[in-house]
Amino acid sequence: MGSPTTVRVAIAGSSGSIGTQTLDVVRAENARPDRDVEYVVTALGVGSSVDVLIAQAREFAVGVVAVADASRVAEVREALPGVRVEPTMSDLVAHADVVVNAVVGFAGLDVTLATLAAGKRLALANKESLIAAGPVVRPLRSTPGAEIVPVDSEHCAVHQCLRSTVREGVEVARIVLTASGGPFRGRTTDDLRSVTVDQALAHPTWSMGPKITIDSSTLMNKGLEVIEAHELFGVPYDRIEVVVHPQSIIHSMVEFTDGCTMAQLSLPDMRLPIGYALAHPHRIATPFGRIDWENLQRLDFAPPDRGTFRCLDLAYEAGRVGGTAPAFMSAANEVAVERFLEGGLRWTQIAETVEESLQQHESPTGDLVAADIIEADRRGRDAARRVLSR
Ligand code: MG
């Protein structure tokens, strides 16, 4: 056997849940004596979690790091002599074959744009960049070599199901995204007025960062994923459906024109979509959990409760309006979720804040550029703050 092929990996947002799990996948794959691919982590970036960054950079002997928080750069330089310290995450792109964009929130847009413009593979875990900036990201996807492989369990599932057709554009009848329903599945609006931050953070099947966990509890996460699916796969909104599936074993489905539905099943572990994106079009050799058919007794399905979990339809609405509406809505949601996490808002007020903010949205005319998205993001935040200050 020859020596393994090298794949250089950069991780923007390496200290968070997706970032650290990416390193788990790399460790596991590189530990295999029979490996035919060697993943080399070349570049890591964080906002301000420099302690984590320093430990990771030492373990993986990384040559380049990015630190967004300028006030923490000096201590990183001191701790990592000989390592280049860059000011922005997009500076990591040049050093990798595949860029994992695990930045949380709208700040991830630059990494998405830089990776696609450089004609590289983007393992995309940052939802907001595609959801908010879909119209700006779209043209860059045709850069030679550029490719988005989604690191989101649902979209990774759809990506896998789509491999069973060679005529995606004509043979896809529906995309069906599954939702666990979050910790508050089956509860009423009245029940939910007094829930605490800790209750909202206790997700039944997935272990994720705080922002996305709150978004899962409101179904905003699923709503954002509907927009993400529309952007990624070019399927119209009336052919993207959501079904609640509490076991989180089926990660999403694609129905074709002949009525055949393909589903992707696996245990709920983000290391599968991460590994899928790192290895694409091949597969990693490490299974992070396998389905136990003796104990998996049943798979349940139910329609989502759209009255209690209003955020789902608010996202559909913003998606259908298109233009800057998804950016505006996503920004307003970020502000509301931050306020909830700080203890300054009731859970039920998250949807109310997003809805009231969205009423203030106005789309600019003409072709959208990145500046329009940034402006819509700013306006969405301002609108939410105004709603919250009343
Ligand atoms: Mg997801």
Side-chain angles (χ1 to χ4, degrees):
M1 217 174 97
S3 53
T5 313
T6 297
V7 174
R8 298 174 305 154
V9 180
I11 309 171
S14 65
S15 60
S17 168
I18 296 291
T20 53
Q21 291 183 84
T22 302
L23 294 174
D24 287 347
V25 173
V26 168
R27 275 187 208 101
E29 285 291 286
N30 287 350
R32 301 183 73 88
D34 58 345
R35 68 190 182 278
D36 53 10
V37 174
E38 173 92 24
Y39 294 96
V40 180
V41 181
T42 51
L44 297 169
V46 298
S48 56
S49 303
V50 299
D51 295 342
V52 177
L53 175 78
I54 290 165
Q56 291 173 337
R58 284 179 178 151
E59 179 187 345
F60 289 89
V62 163
V64 184
V65 298
V67 180
D69 182 347
S71 72
R72 311 297 299 272
V73 166
E75 60 189 289
V76 174
R77 281 193 207 286
E78 195 178 338
L80 300 173
V83 172
R84 212 154 107 193
V85 184
E86 299 281 8
T88 71
M89 306 262 191
S90 17
D91 295 319
L92 305 176
V93 172
H95 306 277
D97 304 308
V98 51
V99 177
V100 179
N101 184 356
V103 176
V104 175
F106 188 70
L109 175 59
D110 286 347
V111 178
T112 292
L113 296 176
T115 305
L116 296 176
K120 296 194 172 175
R121 189 195 314 159
L122 174 64
L124 183 61
N126 172 266
K127 296 182 182 208
E128 287 83 355
S129 67
L130 193 58
I131 290 155
V136 177
V137 171
R138 228 173 283 148
L140 285 173
R141 292 177 65 185
S142 52
T143 310
E147 173 182 37
I148 299 179
V149 184
V151 179
D152 194 344
S153 60
E154 295 79 1
H155 305 81
C156 176
V158 171
H159 198 273
Q160 296 185 58
C161 294
L162 287 173
R163 291 171 82 169
S164 63
T165 175
V166 292
R167 297 200 304 158
E168 247 180 63
V170 287
E171 289 178 351
V172 174
R174 281 197 285 183
I175 287 176
V176 182
L177 299 180
T178 53
S180 69
F184 303 145
R185 182 175 55 90
R187 307 272 291 268
T188 64
T189 305
D190 275 348
D191 282 348
L192 292 170
R193 266 184 241 288
S194 56
V195 294
T196 64
V197 172
D198 285 345
Q199 287 170 321
L201 284 175
H203 195 280
T205 51
W206 287 103
S207 162
M208 305 175 288
K211 198 267 178 181
I212 185 171
T213 304
I214 301 304
D215 282 347
S216 294
S217 79
T218 63
L219 289 196
M220 175 57 89
N221 180 53
K222 206 51 54 181
L224 294 174
E225 288 178 348
V226 167
I227 300 173
E228 189 183 3
H230 169 80
E231 281 300 326
L232 276 169
F233 307 113
V235 172
Y237 285 101
D238 56 5
R239 293 201 276 129
I240 303 174
E241 290 178 25
V242 172
V243 63
V244 173
H245 165 50
Q247 291 91 356
S248 298
I249 293 293
I250 295 181
H251 297 294
S252 278
M253 301 178 263
V254 176
E255 183 190 300
F256 296 97
T257 45
D258 60 356
C260 162
T261 297
M262 300 295 294
Q264 185 260 318
L265 287 75
S266 57
L267 293 189
D269 191 314
M270 285 309 292
R271 291 173 296 184
L272 188 148
I274 291 166
Y276 179 83
L278 291 181
H280 186 74
H282 305 296
R283 285 185 184 271
I284 59 168
T286 311
F288 290 98
R290 305 171 73 190
I291 294 173
D292 171 1
W293 296 102
E294 306 233 332
N295 287 307
L296 179 66
Q297 301 284 333
R298 51 190 282 180
L299 298 172
D300 294 304
F301 305 94
D305 174 356
R306 308 184 103 100
T308 304
F309 300 92
R310 301 246 325 105
C311 285
L312 179 60
D313 281 341
L314 291 172
Y316 266 96
E317 193 183 315
R320 286 193 166 105
V321 170
T324 55
F328 187 99
M329 182 203 64
S330 171
N333 179 61
E334 275 190 46
V335 170
V337 170
E338 267 164 37
R339 190 66 65 88
F340 172 74
L341 285 169
E342 290 161 10
L345 200 66
R346 288 177 192 275
W347 183 90
T348 45
Q349 290 175 303
I350 298 174
E352 290 166 19
T353 305
V354 173
E355 182 168 23
E356 284 181 46
S357 305
L358 201 49
Q359 286 161 5
Q360 299 173 41
H361 172 257
E362 287 170 31
S363 258
T365 50
D367 281 348
L368 297 179
V369 294
D372 295 315
I373 305 297
I374 291 162
E375 178 64 11
D377 177 84
R378 193 187 62 74
R379 288 183 186 210
R381 284 170 203 279
D382 286 353
R385 288 191 192 108
R386 273 197 301 277
V387 169
L388 290 173
S389 68
R390 290 208 299 255

